[in-house]
Amino acid sequence: MSETSIRNHHESLTVEASAETLYDLVSDITRTGEWSPVCTSCWWDDDAEAGQVGAWFTGRNELPDRTWETRSTVVAAERGREFAWVVGGSYVRWGFTFAPAGTGTRITESWEFLSGGIAMFEEKFGDRADVEIADRTQQALHGIPETLAAIKQIAESSTGAGDRARS
């Protein structure tokens, strides 16, 4: 199931792992390069704050035509329920939520282009802002199912995947 508009999108799938296992996986931002088609690596700005609401991290992104880094802040960190961050403090919100689903967990990845991001793109790109926003939107639409499939594969094939959700 997916819901799409010009500025937000989310998709879900069921993984045979507990919500806590999936949370621990995605909240370890140093592993992001294992599942993201664009973000090749991330690191905490301050290891002492890692994974907490308010913690900042840097991500390195790579596409065939460009490479760039972003800084993000964690805005939700509730183990087994939700992990989310906002790029640039006000540009784009990315996140994962978790819900019981049979013997596994339904993981949902969401993306929202925030008004601060729209304003930044308009200032940075001027007349090309709409084209750049559409490009980032397409990257999200294509990247989310790829990311979820990779997380599912990692979670279900890891030795910790025996930690299936229990009823």
Side-chain angles (χ1 to χ4, degrees):
M1 179 172 144
S2 70
E3 226 175 76
T4 307
S5 78
I6 187 75
R7 294 189 182 165
N8 64 68
H9 182 72
H10 71 264
E11 290 190 34
S12 304
L13 59 71
T14 300
V15 179
E16 290 300 320
S18 70
E20 292 76 14
T21 295
L22 291 169
Y23 178 93
D24 292 346
L25 182 64
V26 302
S27 67
D28 182 356
I29 57 98
T30 65
R31 295 189 65 185
T32 302
E34 294 177 41
W35 51 78
S36 174
V38 175
C39 185
T40 58
S41 62
C42 290
W43 56 93
W44 293 106
D45 291 4
D46 180 350
D47 287 336
E49 296 178 355
Q52 301 174 39
V53 170
W56 284 84
F57 64 92
T58 301
R60 180 176 180 81
N61 302 285
E62 296 181 19
L63 289 173
D65 59 334
R66 67 189 178 101
T67 299
W68 72 102
E69 290 182 357
T70 60
R71 288 190 68 238
S72 299
T73 185
V74 175
V75 295
E78 190 174 346
R79 188 167 187 256
R81 295 192 48 144
E82 180 181 18
F83 184 74
W85 62 96
V86 174
V87 178
S90 66
Y91 301 150
V92 177
R93 186 183 197 278
W94 287 92
F96 294 95
T97 57
F98 314 94
T103 61
T105 301
R106 187 158 185 81
I107 181 174
T108 299
E109 183 176 9
S110 61
W111 165 88
E112 181 180 4
F113 216 133
L114 303 172
S115 58
I118 301 296
M120 183 273 292
F121 269 66
E122 289 171 347
E123 180 179 322
K124 182 175 181 176
F125 296 107
D127 293 342
R128 289 199 40 82
D130 288 344
V131 171
E132 295 292 334
I133 290 167
D135 177 59
R136 300 320 187 277
T137 300
Q138 285 306 307
Q139 288 173 26
L141 297 179
H142 288 88
I144 288 173
E146 222 177 295
T147 296
L148 289 171
I151 290 169
K152 177 180 176 74
Q153 202 280 323
I154 291 165
E156 290 181 351
S157 67
S158 72
T159 55
D163 176 27
R164 307 245 190 257
R166 293 169 182 78
S167 42

